[in-house]
Amino acid sequence: MSEQQQPSQSKTESHDPDYPEAFLNFMRTGWRDDALAVTPLAEGPHYAKRRAALSDAFPGETLIIPSGVEKVRANDTEYHFRPGSDLVYLTGDRDPDSVLVLKPTGSGHDAVLYTRERNSKETDAFFRSRDGELWIGRTHTLTEKSTELGLETAPYPALGRALAECAPARTRVLRGLAPAVDRAILPYEPDPVLRRDRELARVISELKLVKDEWEIGQLQDAIDATVRGFEDVARVLPADRSVKERLLEGVFNLRARHDGNDVGYSSIVGSGAHATILHWVRNTGVTQPGELLLMDMGVEGHNFYTADVTRTVPVSGTFTPLQRQVYDIVHASQQAGMDYIRPGVVHRDVHQVCMRVLAEGLHDLGLLPVSVDEAMEKTSTVYRRWTLHGFGHMLGIDVHDCAAARKEKYTDGPLGEGYVLTVEPGLYFQPEDDLVPEELRGIGVRIEDDVLVTEDGCKNLSAGLPRSSDEVEKWLAAQREAGPRLPE
């Protein structure tokens, strides 16, 4: 690749010292270079199987899937790198600037991972570059990475020639991850809207719909860690005084970093009226005894599969009668959706089942301006004023997994055994909503669980957390009695 397209291997700043030659010569000598103990990843065969399935979908075509590039947070600091989900799904690689190239052969594709070379002690970059091993620790050689991933590797600078040899009419690129790759492979001329490239993203998304046994195990590990994180938060949540939402966010983040890779998405910790803001991630408020606290949080596991769980709890420990009524409506909606889920059921129909229960509850609260049947009509849907979002989404290596799948395979399609999805109905009464009684304003409730579609129904993978109002009260009391703990 051209010089400007190569990943930075010698990041320097204006404040870096101008080293004297004597120091440079001294730094170049006297280092031992220990080999890494590298073994093939146990999950390597899963990645190989996925590459084979993708190969079968595009015979005779070159496929290019990047991991992404590091992103600047501010000035000379970067965000913690999280590799692109599709590259991880196909290889298990975690590094920035890696690019998987599947090149067609007579019987399928040869897979090569172009990736950064090690800044070893053989070059000054070892100690001068911010990517050097004195700064970031020992990194893999190409051979070591190949052994670990069970995949042929090549140095990143060789990618330029490989891309130059690609015929645009027979090449598909997963775009938006690596600007240099996007520039190197121009869209095929008769395809101005990138239809061919979108089809690559679509096929990968649809391959991800069915989770294999290993993936389900990864999700269960992330969900179990999430359960522990919710317990941690409940143990430090006072019933009789205020604490900052960000304190609770931080407690959960501790569990996520200890038991997994990170949080799977920005945690939502909304106390009182903040619970009515669907994507409240600023978390600048404080809890108040007597109000509800909505927490939407998930641990991302070590292999990037993530949980996505929401619980709404009464800060004081006990729901008021009106809070309980709203909560029970949402719980009944969620339970109806779970009871309906099974292979062959259309995703959109699960939505309708959940929404009807919410509409019936809103009718019981005296809020609907029309009958339940009228509110559920496609020409009306006025009930959505107080619920806005759908019942759930696919879950996996992304919190909103399989996002590029066709509607007929996702929202308009049947659920299949091995699908994992969230079930998360909610009701939200905005504090400035003059169409609801004053006592309802500022109440927001969402209950979200992660379920696996099984042969004859579904399994709640996050059943380690209670859902009914009575169980939530008992659980919160038990956690508070147990007291704070540090992750082991």
Side-chain angles (χ1 to χ4, degrees):
M1 307 190 78
S2 64
E3 183 178 350
Q4 67 269 26
Q5 291 175 320
Q6 294 185 31
S8 173
Q9 296 293 319
S10 57
K11 297 177 183 175
T12 57
E13 311 302 334
S14 59
H15 55 264
D16 286 348
D18 185 11
Y19 296 113
E21 193 64 27
F23 175 77
L24 294 176
N25 288 332
F26 187 64
M27 287 296 291
R28 292 165 184 157
T29 62
W31 300 104
R32 187 179 66 251
D33 198 5
D34 295 332
L36 282 180
V38 177
T39 57
L41 293 176
E43 60 270 23
H46 296 285
Y47 300 126
K49 187 192 308 182
R50 297 165 191 168
R51 292 194 299 272
L54 187 61
S55 171
D56 290 343
F58 297 102
E61 301 192 49
T62 299
L63 310 176
I64 302 171
I65 300 97
S67 69
V69 298
E70 292 178 308
K71 294 179 174 62
V72 174
R73 182 180 185 274
N75 194 20
D76 61 344
T77 62
E78 284 131 358
Y79 287 103
H80 180 73
F81 180 72
R82 200 279 194 185
S85 297
D86 292 339
L87 188 283
V88 175
Y89 178 78
L90 294 166
T91 69
D93 187 51
R94 299 162 177 261
D95 291 333
D97 296 310
S98 292
V99 180
L100 175 66
V101 176
L102 296 177
K103 194 163 185 177
T105 64
S107 58
H109 287 79
D110 287 335
V112 180
L113 184 70
Y114 292 84
T115 187
R116 288 181 179 179
E117 291 190 270
R118 176 189 173 206
N119 274 337
S120 71
K121 300 176 181 67
E122 296 176 358
T123 69
D124 286 1
F126 158 63
F127 62 90
R128 297 194 70 171
S129 169
R130 283 170 49 204
D131 289 330
E133 291 183 357
L134 269 186
W135 294 91
I136 65 171
R138 174 72 154 81
T139 54
H140 286 71
T141 66
L142 295 179
T143 300
E144 289 165 347
K145 179 172 282 194
S146 182
T147 298
E148 186 174 77
L149 300 180
L151 180 64
E152 182 182 347
T153 57
Y156 186 89
L159 177 63
R161 176 175 293 181
L163 297 183
E165 295 173 351
C166 293
R170 303 293 295 167
T171 301
R172 299 177 191 261
V173 180
L174 196 65
R175 295 189 181 271
L177 291 162
V181 174
D182 289 349
R183 291 192 300 267
I185 304 293
L186 298 177
Y188 183 46
E189 187 176 351
D191 186 22
V193 292
L194 305 180
R195 177 186 57 80
R196 290 172 49 75
D197 295 330
R198 288 205 311 272
E199 189 174 2
L200 172 60
R202 173 189 68 74
V203 169
I204 297 174
S205 273
E206 292 177 5
L207 287 174
K208 292 195 290 185
L209 281 167
V210 177
K211 271 60 180 179
D212 60 32
E213 186 176 349
W214 181 80
E215 290 181 288
I216 294 167
Q218 294 299 306
L219 283 165
Q220 188 66 71
D221 287 346
I223 291 165
D224 291 345
T226 299
V227 169
R228 294 190 291 272
F230 271 89
E231 292 171 348
D232 295 339
V233 171
R235 293 179 180 209
V236 301
L237 174 65
D240 57 353
R241 66 179 179 87
S242 298
V243 295
K244 293 181 178 180
E245 293 169 349
R246 288 189 179 182
L247 170 68
L248 307 179
E249 176 188 7
V251 169
F252 185 84
N253 286 0
L254 170 62
R255 176 62 67 176
R257 287 291 281 168
H258 184 275
D259 288 11
N261 177 57
D262 209 331
V263 290
Y265 51 93
S266 297
S267 297
I268 297 170
V269 182
S271 180
H274 287 165
T276 69
I277 302 172
L278 298 185
H279 285 173
W280 173 253
V281 295
R282 283 177 278 171
N283 300 340
T284 54
V286 297
T287 63
Q288 295 289 349
E291 292 184 340
L292 297 180
L293 172 66
L294 186 155
M295 298 174 287
D296 186 336
M297 307 183 294
V299 172
E300 179 183 78
H302 294 294
N303 289 305
F304 304 108
Y305 286 81
T306 186
D308 183 5
V309 176
T310 305
R311 286 296 183 270
T312 307
V313 302
V315 173
S316 64
T318 306
F319 291 100
T320 68
L322 185 58
Q323 289 170 348
R324 184 183 296 271
Q325 184 178 2
V326 174
Y327 186 96
D328 289 349
I329 292 169
V330 175
H331 179 232
S333 170
Q334 189 198 36
Q335 188 61 55
M338 288 185 179
D339 290 344
Y340 189 75
I341 289 174
R342 63 185 183 278
V345 163
V346 175
H347 186 280
R348 191 177 296 280
D349 290 345
V350 182
H351 172 83
Q352 291 300 107
V353 167
C354 292
M355 295 304 109
R356 185 168 189 89
V357 175
L358 293 182
E360 290 170 348
L362 290 166
H363 181 269
D364 293 342
L365 289 169
L367 299 182
L368 286 186
V370 296
S371 70
V372 172
D373 287 341
E374 289 174 296
M376 293 298 296
E377 289 290 336
K378 291 181 180 180
T379 55
S380 172
T381 69
V382 293
Y383 70 91
R384 296 195 67 166
R385 178 185 178 99
W386 299 288
T387 188
L388 291 180
H389 59 80
F391 87 91
H393 52 81
M394 297 299 171
L395 185 70
I397 203 167
D398 279 312
V399 67
H400 294 135
D401 208 26
C402 314
R406 291 168 293 177
K407 281 189 174 183
E408 55 265 34
K409 289 286 188 176
Y410 194 157
T411 53
D412 294 343
L415 299 176
E417 186 175 356
Y419 284 27
V420 176
L421 63 157
T422 66
V423 184
E424 51 172 314
L427 287 175
Y428 314 93
F429 303 108
Q430 306 299 326
E432 63 274 16
D433 189 346
D434 288 338
L435 296 188
V436 301
E438 184 177 356
E439 59 270 20
L440 271 175
R441 296 173 197 161
I443 291 179
V445 174
R446 180 165 66 252
I447 311 169
E448 178 180 19
D449 284 273
D450 305 334
V451 305
L452 166 68
V453 181
T454 60
E455 182 180 6
D456 55 1
C458 73
K459 176 184 178 182
N460 183 4
L461 301 178
S462 46
L465 288 175
R467 294 188 295 125
S468 74
S469 52
D470 287 343
E471 290 172 341
V472 166
E473 289 177 343
K474 292 175 184 176
W475 171 83
L476 185 55
Q479 297 307 315
R480 284 169 165 164
E481 184 177 356
R485 65 181 175 192
L486 284 174
E488 298 178 358

